[in-house]
């Protein structure tokens, strides 16, 4: 069998999607669309003349250019770094590999506003575009790394062997056989980088890089004007649609699972020989850039005693523990609910990619194109007016997290489901299992690695989320992120440091546990063959 | 304990683990539904705060100690919290609102969301620092200053007026945070002094000269590490930065404008009771407490809050230039407006 035989387009003949899954998916997509629709409605309250004046200012053009430049550069760079890191970790041997496998995922756990502060205090030259690109890429390349690594782990090595036996070796094998199979994971990850960059705020504010998002915040801040900010948010939603459209165009409708019978053998990591040295060096530089500098700054502030003496927000062990417990509780609930909504959507998107399902999936991505403050304020208005008891409840915050992070989960799951053999499910069905049982006993176990990675990403994103947590958290709820904000916003960096350290530790641990436990790095004792 | 090869999914440990996962998901859903907060019986005040947490914590814990009334704090950035209150309207869970600058209070007042403050409370601070209609009370004040990097600019070269910073000589030497809630009252003050056209012309000049930051924290840090020679800030942020960094490590100092210059504007931080509060009496008690001498004296002595207490006879933090020696422009708070005009001018100048 040649690689192209696997990659050729196959007609999807699965028939109609199961109703239960469809209902759950529609509920998820509906949740996302609700606050966005509200935002659009609000935007239309701006009189047309004023709207034109507001949108066609020279500044808006400049911001648009800034935003698009950065999104393009960050997406490409993160795609490159993430793919390279994933490839070397999954497919080769080099000194320190198991450690770097985890370290490459951890930068996602360091909020960009912390990295941007670290970089700017090292060199003011890193303001503006260069700094923004550096910070965004360091923070978000794991969004490519994680799904691509999961895809590499789930990939059938037989294809590469076949190609090699046909004389396609080395880099050419990677380009012609491996890379095409990585498309869903890679493009999905890059889409996430693009969307995250589109809505990033904190880091850009510190780096003096003005984008559409900082302008929306400025509009809220200065004009105190919801409708005008909504108008700008609608433009951002439009940009998000462009990203989605572009991604859909390049992804196409290829299939990535094996279609024949048989089981997979474990992929033996290749020895790099002398090349192992530059690879290890590369990973060292990557870790130093993405983790060393931000963590170094946290450590630096931990050792400063000034504000410990002057700030009443003392990091007592009890206060720290309470903030950490709240963060974990919210992130566990949020990640669980997000996955609950994402699983049926991602599954349908792979197995029943009809027009309706595609529409639902695209809708779920939309919230990513809107800054947290827009979603949060829309949810406030909606619940205050129509669902009063839900307002400032943990439940609403969990829903808000699901809205914000549904795309993260879907991308991860989609890439995994794409590799699950449909024939396994058919076998399960033919053995008399219900659709739900097939899901529980066949699909989910096979996709466990990807599910673990997706859960880890969502968990970590919630732990580091700020704006929505501030606005929607039940009154009196204190999380690690809100404490860091309260301290850094008064320049009490030293009193923020214990919280920042704890947040980073928590993220590292959770990434390790979830991603590591469910989808252990290929090689060593894990991933035996059948 | 990892999942084994996907090759044989119908055997092995997989299904058990997955049942666990499903359980977790269901449990999570149940907890989320169950943990919706219930109404409390005793009086408990809810304070929406856009003031710095350290000082709010001092005020709320002092108040609880004195009255036994608990205060739950919901905190956030000033414009976000103000937006939130506006969205919540008459069904806001908030009893009280406290913020760093007067314009947000003026705006909520214009929307009819604030209750009148007890006359006795208003009487504790000079009337010039509270709402003329009594809708909110001034609590603390902060001075606008120019922070400068000592190795980049000499004391003799500092500008006499804030308006000078728009002159070509200052190109590349200024850092500003035009959309910070502290800058906009300053812009409104410039408008009062030189008219709208003059203010816009000043802004345009400033735009050519200045590096734009998001907030005063960014400006103060940028000047101290040498990204910019000078920066327009509230002195509060310089003092915080100084305390945090240590006097031996700091590279910057502050320059006070004088003679009633717009640059010496004093911003007022205030608090209000929301009309929709069901605990009017307790909320009014809180306002009375935070402008009381003991509370204000405790703040001033704390090295946490570098603002001027407004209660009569309470000395400010000794790190600050004495309040009586400040030479702010003579402008009524009401003339500073609600930031809407300032935002409009920022847009016109291309800074927003």
């Amino acid at each position: 069998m040649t690689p192209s035989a696997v990659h050729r387009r196959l007609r999807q003949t699965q028939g109609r999607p199961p109703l239960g899954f469809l209902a759950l998916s529609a509920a998820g997509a509906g949740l996302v669309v609700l606050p966005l629709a509200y935002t659009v409605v609000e935007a239309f309250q701006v009189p047309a003349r004023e709207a034109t004046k507001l949108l066609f200012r020279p500044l808006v053009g400049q911001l648009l250019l800034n935003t698009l430049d950065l999104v393009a550069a960050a997406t490409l760079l993160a795609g490159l770094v993430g793919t390279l890191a994933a490839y070397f970790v999954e497919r080769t041997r080099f000194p320190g590999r198991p450690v770097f496998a985890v370290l490459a995922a951890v930068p996602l756990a360091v909020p960009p506003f912390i990295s941007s502060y670290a970089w700017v205090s090292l060199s003011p030259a890193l303001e503006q575009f260069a700094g923004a690109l550096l910070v965004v890429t360091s923070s978000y390349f794991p969004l490519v790394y994680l799904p691509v690594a999961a895809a590499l782990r789930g990939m059938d090595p037989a294809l590469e062997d076949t190609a090699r036996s046909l004389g396609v070796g080395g880099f050419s094998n990677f380009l012609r056989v491996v890379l095409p199979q990585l498309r869903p994971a890679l493009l999905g990850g890059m889409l996430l980088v693009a969307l995250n960059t589109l809505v990033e705020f904190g880091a850009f504010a510190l780096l003096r890089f003005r984008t559409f998002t900082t302008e929306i915040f400025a509009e809220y801040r200065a004009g105190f004007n919801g409708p005008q900010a909504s108008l700008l948010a609608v433009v951002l939603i439009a940009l998000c649609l462009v990203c989605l459209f572009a991604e859909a165009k390049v992804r196409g409708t290829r299939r990535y699972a094996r279609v024949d019978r048989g089981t997979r053998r474990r992929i033996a990591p290749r020895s790099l020989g002398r090349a192992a040295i530059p690879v290890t060096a590369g990973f060292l530089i990557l870790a130093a850039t993405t983790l060393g500098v931000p963590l170094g700054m946290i450590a630096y502030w931990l050792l400063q005693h000034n504000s410990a003496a002057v700030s009443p927000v003392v990091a007592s062990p009890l206060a720290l523990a309470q903030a950490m417990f709240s963060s974990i509780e919210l992130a566990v609930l949020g990640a669980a609910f997000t996955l609950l909504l994402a699983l049926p959507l991602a599954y349908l998107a792979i197995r029943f990619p009809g027009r309706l399902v595609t529409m639902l999936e695209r809708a779920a991505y939309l919230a990513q194109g809107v800054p947290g403050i827009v979603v949060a304020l829309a949810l406030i208005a909606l619940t205050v007016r129509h669902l009063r008891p839900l307002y400032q409840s943990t439940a609403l915050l969990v829903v808000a997290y699901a809205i914000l992070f549904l795309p993260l989960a879907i991308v991860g799951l989609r890439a995994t489901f794409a590799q699950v053999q449909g024939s396994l499910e058919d076998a399960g069905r033919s053995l008399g299992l219900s659709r739900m049982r097939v899901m529980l006993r066949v699909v989910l176990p096979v996709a466990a690695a990807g599910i673990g990675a997706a859960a880890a990403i969502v968990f970590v994103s919630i732990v580091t989320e700020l704006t929505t947590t501030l606005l929607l958290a039940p009154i009196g709820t204190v999380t690690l992120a809100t404490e860091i904000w309260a301290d850094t916003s008064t320049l009490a960096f030293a009193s923020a440091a214990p919280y920042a350290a704890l947040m980073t530790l928590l993220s590292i641990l959770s990434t390790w546990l979830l991603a590591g436990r469910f989808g252990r790095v290929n090689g060593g004792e894990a991933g035996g063959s059948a | 304990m990892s999942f084994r090869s996907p090759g044989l999914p119908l055997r092995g440990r997989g299904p058990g683990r997955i049942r666990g996962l499903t359980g977790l998901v269901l449990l999570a859903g149940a907890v989320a539904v169950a943990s919706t907060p219930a109404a409390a019986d005793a009086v408990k005040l809810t304070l929406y705060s856009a003031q710095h947490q350290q000082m709010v914590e001092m005020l709320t814990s002092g108040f609880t100690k004195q009255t036994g009334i608990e205060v739950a704090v919901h905190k956030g950035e000033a414009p976000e919290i103000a937006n939130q209150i506006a969205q919540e309207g008459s069904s806001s869970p908030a009893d009280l609102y406290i913020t760093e600058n007067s314009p947000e209070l003026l705006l909520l007042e214009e929307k009819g969301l604030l209750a009148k403050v007890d006359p006795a409370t208003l009487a504790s601070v000079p009337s010039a620092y509270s709402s003329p209609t009594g809708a909110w009370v001034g609590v603390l004040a902060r001075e606008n200053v120019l922070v400068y990097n000592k190795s980049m600019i000499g004391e003799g070269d500092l500008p006499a007026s804030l308006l000078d910073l728009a002159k070509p000589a200052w190109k590349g030497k200024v850092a500003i945070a035009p959309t910070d809630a502290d800058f906009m009252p300053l812009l409104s003050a410039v408008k009062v002094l030189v008219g709208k056209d003059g203010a816009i012309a000043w802004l345009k000049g400033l735009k050519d000269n200045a590096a734009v930051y998001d907030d005063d924290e960014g400006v103060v840090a940028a000047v101290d590490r040498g990204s910019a020679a000078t920066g327009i800030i509230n002195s509060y942020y310089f003092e915080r930065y100084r305390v945090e960094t240590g006097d031996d490590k700091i590279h910057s100092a502050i320059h006070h404008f004088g003679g009633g210059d717009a640059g010496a504007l004093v911003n007022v931080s205030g608090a209000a009771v929301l009309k929709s509060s069901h605990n009017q009496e307790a909320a009014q008690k809180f306002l009375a407490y935070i402008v009381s001498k003991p509370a204000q004296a405790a703040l001033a002595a704390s090295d946490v809050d570098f603002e001027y207490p407004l209660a009569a006879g309470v000395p400010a933090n000794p790190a600050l230039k004495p309040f009586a020696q400040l030479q702010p422009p003579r402008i009524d708070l009401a003339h500073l407006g609600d930031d809407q005009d300032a935002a409009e001018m920022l847009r016109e100048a291309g800074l927003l």
Side-chain angles (χ1 to χ4, degrees), chain B residues 247-314:
Chain B
D247 282 326
D248 50 330
K249 289 185 197 150
I250 201 157
H251 309 293
S252 46
I254 50 177
H255 166 61
H256 303 265
F257 294 103
D261 188 71
L265 180 77
V266 168
N267 293 5
V268 171
S269 154
V273 171
L274 293 178
K275 208 180 259 176
S276 55
S277 164
H278 299 300
N279 305 307
Q280 292 289 337
E281 200 184 325
Q284 291 289 352
K285 262 190 206 163
F286 183 78
L287 289 194
Y289 172 76
I290 61 176
V291 295
S292 70
K293 272 189 186 178
Q296 298 239 314
L299 274 184
S302 68
D303 246 13
V304 159
D305 187 60
F306 294 94
E307 291 171 289
Y308 293 98
L310 288 176
V314 180

Side-chain angles (χ1 to χ4, degrees), chain A residues 127-202:
Chain A
E127 282 177 0
Q128 311 250 19
F129 187 85
L133 181 60
L134 177 72
V135 166
V136 167
T137 309
S138 348
S139 297
Y140 295 138
F141 85 89
L143 292 175
V144 173
Y145 166 78
L146 284 170
V148 169
L152 282 169
R153 215 174 300 143
M155 204 177 275
D156 192 332
L159 285 173
E160 288 159 72
D161 296 346
T162 313
R164 209 167 285 126
S165 74
L166 291 172
V168 182
F171 191 58
S172 166
N173 195 333
F174 176 79
L175 278 188
R176 290 173 59 189
V177 183
V178 179
L179 202 57
Q181 297 185 76
L182 292 179
R183 271 172 74 140
L186 179 59
L187 293 174
M190 285 169 70
L191 173 71
L192 284 182
V193 175
L195 295 175
N196 270 289
T197 308
L198 214 50
V199 297
E200 174 58 45
F201 167 69

Side-chain angles (χ1 to χ4, degrees), chain A residues 371-519:
Chain A
I373 187 179
V374 176
V375 172
L377 286 173
L379 284 177
I380 288 172
L382 282 168
T383 48
V384 159
R385 281 168 212 170
H386 308 293
L387 293 160
R388 195 66 186 74
L390 267 182
Y391 184 53
Q392 278 179 349
S393 65
T394 305
L396 181 65
L397 188 55
V398 166
V399 167
Y401 287 143
I403 290 172
L404 291 175
F405 301 123
L406 202 53
L408 277 175
I410 292 177
V411 166
L413 297 176
R414 208 181 197 288
T416 320
F417 285 145
Q419 292 179 329
V420 176
Q421 300 170 34
S423 56
L424 285 177
E425 291 164 53
D426 296 343
R429 296 278 282 161
S430 70
L431 290 172
L433 292 179
S434 70
R435 175 93 51 193
M436 190 50 86
R437 295 228 141 244
V438 169
M439 192 72 187
L440 291 181
R441 294 181 58 184
V442 181
V443 180
L444 293 184
V446 175
I451 295 173
I457 295 180
V458 175
F459 181 91
V460 167
S461 304
I462 294 176
V463 167
T464 55
E465 204 284 332
L466 181 61
T467 318
T468 310
T469 312
L470 276 174
L471 286 177
L472 293 180
I475 288 164
T477 300
V478 165
T479 70
L480 294 172
T482 64
E483 284 305 282
I484 292 172
W485 170 82
D487 284 329
T488 52
S489 70
T490 48
L491 297 164
F493 301 117
S495 52
Y499 291 95
L502 203 60
M503 178 195 275
T504 313
L505 189 73
L506 179 64
S507 310
I508 294 173
L509 273 177
S510 59
T511 312
W512 201 299
L513 283 175
L514 285 167
R517 191 181 173 93
F518 283 98

Side-chain angles (χ1 to χ4, degrees), chain B residues 12-32:
Chain B
R13 298 168 183 276
R17 179 74 62 72
I18 290 310
R19 231 170 268 135
L21 186 72
T22 318
L24 183 70
V25 169
L26 293 177
L27 181 73
V31 172

Side-chain angles (χ1 to χ4, degrees), chain A residues 39-389:
Chain A
T39 305
V40 174
V41 168
E42 199 181 32
F44 275 97
Q45 287 169 8
V46 181
R49 221 172 56 104
E50 203 182 317
T52 323
K53 201 175 136 198
L54 195 72
L55 286 178
F56 294 92
R57 290 178 282 165
L59 179 70
V60 173
Q62 185 57 49
L63 294 170
L64 206 58
L65 216 59
N66 276 0
T67 307
L68 292 178
D69 278 356
L70 187 68
V71 165
T75 307
L76 290 176
L77 194 57
L80 185 69
V81 174
T83 308
L84 280 178
Y87 182 81
F88 284 119
V89 161
E90 293 296 329
R91 290 302 172 81
T92 66
R93 285 184 202 285
F94 58 91
R97 187 176 65 127
V99 178
F100 287 124
V102 178
L103 287 188
V106 173
L108 198 59
V110 184
F113 68 85
I114 288 185
S115 343
S116 57
Y117 180 77
W119 282 108
V120 150
S121 58
L122 277 185
S123 164
L126 285 170
E127 282 177 0
Q128 311 250 19
F129 187 85
L133 181 60
L134 177 72
V135 166
V136 167
T137 309
S138 348
S139 297
Y140 295 138
F141 85 89
L143 292 175
V144 173
Y145 166 78
L146 284 170
V148 169
L152 282 169
R153 215 174 300 143
M155 204 177 275
D156 192 332
L159 285 173
E160 288 159 72
D161 296 346
T162 313
R164 209 167 285 126
S165 74
L166 291 172
V168 182
F171 191 58
S172 166
N173 195 333
F174 176 79
L175 278 188
R176 290 173 59 189
V177 183
V178 179
L179 202 57
Q181 297 185 76
L182 292 179
R183 271 172 74 140
L186 179 59
L187 293 174
M190 285 169 70
L191 173 71
L192 284 182
V193 175
L195 295 175
N196 270 289
T197 308
L198 214 50
V199 297
E200 174 58 45
F201 167 69
F204 298 157
L206 262 171
L207 294 163
R208 300 205 305 108
F209 187 71
R210 300 176 77 186
T211 70
F212 237 75
T213 321
T214 63
E215 178 65 14
I216 289 176
F217 276 75
E219 200 65 54
Y220 272 120
R221 179 181 279 231
F224 191 46
N225 194 321
Q228 288 191 355
S230 297
L231 191 65
L232 294 173
V234 169
V235 178
L236 211 49
I237 296 176
L239 285 181
C240 173
L241 282 171
V242 172
C243 281
L244 288 173
F245 182 74
E247 191 256 357
K249 268 273 167 255
V250 281
R251 169 144 54 195
T253 51
R254 294 174 173 197
R255 289 184 32 147
Y256 299 90
R258 272 182 58 165
V259 287
D260 58 342
R261 255 164 19 92
T263 53
R264 258 179 3 199
R265 121 186 118 68
R266 180 166 71 83
I267 302 173
R270 207 151 50 81
S271 175
L272 281 172
R274 235 171 250 263
I277 297 166
V279 168
T280 301
F283 271 98
L284 273 175
I285 293 170
L286 186 68
T289 312
T290 58
L291 288 171
V293 173
L295 295 188
M297 285 312 291
I298 294 176
Y300 170 80
W301 286 113
L302 267 177
L303 297 173
Q304 304 298 305
H305 293 294
N306 294 308
S307 69
V310 299
S311 168
V313 188
V314 183
S316 72
L318 183 69
L320 272 170
Q322 277 172 345
M324 184 167 86
F325 179 75
S326 298
S327 283
I328 293 177
E329 186 195 16
L330 287 173
V332 166
L333 293 173
F337 188 60
T338 309
L339 281 193
L340 186 69
L341 294 180
L343 277 167
L345 250 178
Y347 179 74
L348 291 186
I350 293 299
R351 283 285 173 268
F352 303 92
R355 192 166 297 162
L356 177 64
V357 171
T358 308
M359 217 175 67
L360 290 178
E361 193 201 0
R362 300 281 142 190
Y365 280 117
L366 274 178
Q368 196 79 24
V370 192
I373 187 179
V374 176
V375 172
L377 286 173
L379 284 177
I380 288 172
L382 282 168
T383 48
V384 159
R385 281 168 212 170
H386 308 293
L387 293 160
R388 195 66 186 74

Side-chain angles (χ1 to χ4, degrees), chain B residues 27-90:
Chain B
L27 181 73
V31 172
V33 171
S35 56
T36 309
D41 293 320
V43 174
K44 189 174 179 185
L45 293 173
T46 298
L47 169 67
Y48 275 25
S49 162
Q51 249 290 10
H52 299 300
Q53 192 188 352
Q54 289 90 343
M55 60 99 40
V56 167
E57 213 147 284
M58 281 190 73
L59 290 175
T60 52
S61 62
F63 176 71
T64 305
K65 209 173 280 172
Q66 194 181 76
T67 61
I69 302 172
E70 302 264 338
V71 183
V73 179
H74 174 66
K75 62 197 174 197
E77 290 280 357
E80 291 169 21
I81 294 287
N83 267 301
Q84 183 164 14
I85 292 177
Q87 295 273 27
E88 290 168 353
S90 58

